[in-house]
Amino acid sequence: PDGTTFRGPAALGAILARDERFLACATSQLATYAVGRGMGDGDADALAAITAAATHDGGHLRALLESVVASDTFRMRKPEEGR
């Protein structure tokens, strides 16, 4: 969004790794998929905790996946009606 230029996937990866918004966005998207519903304002604290846990564990995809699966948001999810 700031007009930073890059050449190739490695440079893009480096830019994304420096941007704290990337992991927060990835957390929200992965949680949405994992839980089977959109994340709302009521999920903000849980998403922040998941992001913090993933960051503490290195910020890699594996850390993010483990943080989502270990979260109450995932473990306590309720099936949608009609399913």
Side-chain angles (χ1 to χ4, degrees), residues 23-24 26-32 34-35 39 43 45-77:
L23 189 57
T27 300
S28 179
Q29 295 301 311
L30 183 59
T32 295
V35 175
M39 297 290 106
D43 297 303
D45 290 341
L47 291 172
I50 293 167
T51 302
T55 300
H56 179 266
D57 291 338
H60 300 286
L61 180 59
R62 180 183 181 125
L64 179 55
L65 288 167
E66 290 173 352
S67 296
V68 168
V69 172
S71 72
D72 286 344
T73 300
F74 179 79
R75 293 182 316 106
M76 306 290 190
R77 69 190 185 283

